[in-house]
């Protein structure tokens, strides 16, 4: 049986408790939204710290929701049902497909030792029994003392209550005494929604640049597919070197190394160099202008297969015997006799260091474990 009320007064509850309930809901929803966002962003950015922070926030949100709910249940205790008399002010039956039809009862409930109040009750009544509940009749009901809107008709009252109902007279309670169920309403839903959005924003906004994949930099230049490598040169022209560096939230992000290489080549005004160094948040290069002495092959800044380098970093982190490496570094040079780059990936941590060597297509040629 379901009972509901219409327009009415709120149950007695202190304003401080309402504010605390809304505040705890806001904080809990904020933690939940931030925690889930941290887990997703941590996976995308390969950030162990952010992922672990997300797990911690999930646990904190669960505690923040579970503990107050348990305290409320203990404070409230088991529901206590009371018996009272009520006057049927109005009734309205709706059509149903079965013998039991939904009936809306507008009641004046008169508890013993307490003021009478109005409430609306919806119950299913058999068509045969419906004449037993005429307008103005006195009936026996049960209600929850802590939740006075939770009213139910007592279909089989005790003999004492049946005799009281037969001889009782109840005056109609005024409309302002009408009560209804305590509902969180739209305000509570809005607080939860705002909390989730705030939690998501607190995690997402500071890392927006890291999540930006650089797609707004325009279409990739033809060099992204690997331009033709310059051939050896001879002559006595002076070689001029120029250095450059570019920072990034994470060079391991998809397409980030290629973008930084294009930026360095344009900033230094040269397509060739002698060395490229890549670290977690920085790429630097030594560019060259002029003729390389001794007929050596220069290194093409745009000609490296940058898309394959993150895989080498993962291999070096996990396969060279350095537990939980604290840092990594990529050095790219040429051996002078060939235009193909030579890639060296070094990992370090806890006093240990190891490295591997790979060719132009990220094929590992040497391993030097810790």
């Amino acid at each position: 049986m379901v009972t509901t009320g219409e327009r009415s007064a709120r149950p007695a509850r202190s304003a401080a408790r309402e504010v605390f309930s809304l505040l705890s809901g806001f904080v809990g929803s904020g933690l939940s939204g931030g925690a889930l966002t941290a887990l997703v962003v941590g996976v995308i950015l390969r950030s162990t710290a952010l992922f672990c922070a997300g797990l911690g926030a999930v646990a904190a949100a669960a505690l923040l929701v579970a503990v107050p709910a348990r305290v409320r249940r203990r404070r409230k205790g088991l529901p206590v049902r009371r018996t009272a008399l009520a006057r049927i002010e109005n009734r309205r039956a709706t059509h149903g497909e079965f013998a039991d039809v939904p009936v809306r009862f507008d009641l004046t409930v008169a508890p013993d030792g307490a003021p009478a109040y109005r409430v609306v009750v919806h119950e299913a009544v058999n068509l045969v029994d419906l004449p037993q509940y005429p307008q103005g009749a006195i009936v026996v009901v049960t209600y929850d003392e802590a939740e006075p809107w939770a009213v139910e008709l007592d279909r089989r009252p005790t003999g004492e209550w049946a005799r009281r109902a037969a001889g009782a007279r109840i005056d109609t309670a005024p409309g302002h005494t009408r009560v209804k169920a305590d509902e969180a309403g739209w305000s509570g839903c809005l607080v939860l929604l705002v909390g989730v959005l705030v939690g998501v924003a607190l995690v997402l906004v500071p890392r927006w640049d890291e999540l930006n994949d650089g797609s707004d930099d325009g279409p990739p230049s033809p060099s992204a597919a690997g331009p033709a490598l310059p051939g050896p040169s001879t002559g006595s022209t002076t070689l001029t070197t120029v250095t450059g560096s570019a920072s990034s939230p994470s060079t391991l992000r998809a397409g980030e190394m290629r973008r930084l290489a294009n930026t360095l080549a344009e900033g230094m005004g040269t397509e060739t160099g002698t060395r490229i160094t890549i670290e977690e948040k920085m790429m630097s290069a030594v560019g060259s202008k002029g003729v390389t002495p001794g007929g050596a092959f220069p290194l093409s800044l745009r000609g490296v297969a940058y898309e394959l380098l993150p895989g080498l970093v993962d291999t070096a982190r996990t396969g060279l015997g350095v537990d939980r490496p604290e840092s990594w570094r990529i050095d790219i040079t040429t051996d002078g006799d060939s235009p193909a780059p030579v890639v060296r990936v070094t990992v370090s941590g806890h006093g240990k260091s190891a490295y591997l060597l790979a060719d132009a297509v990220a094929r590992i040629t040497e391993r030097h474990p810790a």
Side-chain angles (χ1 to χ4, degrees), residues 169-204:
R169 180 179 178 277
I170 299 175
D171 295 330
T172 301
H176 66 80
T177 63
R178 191 180 302 277
V179 297
K180 74 170 185 177
D182 182 23
E183 299 172 350
W186 290 105
S187 59
C189 295
L190 182 60
V191 168
L192 296 180
L193 177 61
V194 171
V196 170
L197 293 178
V198 169
V200 172
L202 287 177
V203 176
L204 200 58

Side-chain angles (χ1 to χ4, degrees), residues 28-346:
S29 60
L31 275 175
S32 300
L36 295 178
T37 306
L39 292 176
V40 174
V41 174
V43 171
I44 294 175
L45 298 182
R46 302 182 182 182
S47 173
T48 304
L50 185 59
F51 186 82
C52 292
L55 291 177
V58 168
L63 288 175
L64 190 63
V65 172
V67 172
R70 188 170 183 179
V71 171
R72 284 194 298 269
R73 285 196 299 269
R74 285 186 175 181
R75 184 186 295 120
K76 184 176 179 181
L78 295 175
V80 178
R81 302 295 297 182
R82 302 292 186 186
T83 305
L85 299 179
R87 170 188 168 89
I88 300 177
E89 304 295 346
N90 190 15
R91 72 169 194 190
R92 185 172 67 244
T94 59
H95 295 288
E97 299 180 358
F98 305 98
D100 292 343
V101 296
V103 181
R104 175 187 180 275
F105 291 96
D106 186 356
L107 303 177
T108 292
V109 180
D112 290 340
Y117 62 90
R118 296 282 290 273
V119 68
V120 168
V121 177
H122 290 83
E123 293 207 21
V125 179
N126 192 281
L127 288 173
V128 176
D129 299 330
L130 194 57
Q132 299 178 16
Y133 302 99
Q135 182 175 346
I138 305 300
V139 294
V140 181
V141 298
T142 61
Y143 67 97
D144 188 337
E145 192 172 29
E147 298 177 345
W149 58 86
V151 176
E152 297 178 358
L153 296 179
D154 189 347
R155 311 294 180 91
R156 296 181 178 180
T158 63
E160 177 185 354
W161 280 102
R163 287 190 296 271
R164 288 184 59 181
R169 180 179 178 277
I170 299 175
D171 295 330
T172 301
H176 66 80
T177 63
R178 191 180 302 277
V179 297
K180 74 170 185 177
D182 182 23
E183 299 172 350
W186 290 105
S187 59
C189 295
L190 182 60
V191 168
L192 296 180
L193 177 61
V194 171
V196 170
L197 293 178
V198 169
V200 172
L202 287 177
V203 176
L204 200 58
V205 171
R207 294 166 179 81
W208 184 255
D209 289 338
E210 298 180 56
L211 293 170
N212 182 11
D213 60 5
S215 59
D216 55 347
D217 295 333
S221 64
S223 61
L229 296 173
S233 57
T234 59
S236 58
T237 304
T238 303
L239 176 69
T240 302
T241 60
V242 58
T243 59
S245 63
S247 61
S248 168
S250 175
T251 55
L252 293 177
R253 187 178 60 186
E256 187 67 4
M257 292 185 187
R258 175 71 60 189
R259 186 184 70 82
L260 295 176
N262 292 337
T263 300
L264 288 174
E266 294 170 2
M268 295 188 298
T270 179
E271 297 289 327
T272 59
T274 58
R275 176 180 290 272
I276 300 172
T277 301
I278 306 172
E279 295 176 303
E280 184 175 359
K281 297 181 181 297
M282 177 78 68
M283 176 185 283
S284 59
V286 179
S288 59
K289 295 180 180 180
V291 179
T292 305
F297 284 91
L299 174 66
S300 172
L301 299 180
R302 301 182 194 257
V304 178
Y306 293 106
E307 293 75 14
L308 303 179
L309 298 185
L312 288 178
V313 174
D314 288 341
T315 300
R317 281 172 163 176
T318 59
L320 294 180
V322 179
D323 295 332
R324 297 186 298 276
E326 299 171 345
S327 63
W328 58 268
R329 175 188 175 115
I330 300 175
D331 293 293
I332 306 172
T333 58
T334 63
D335 60 8
D337 297 327
S338 168
V342 177
V343 181
R344 173 175 171 147
V345 182
T346 305

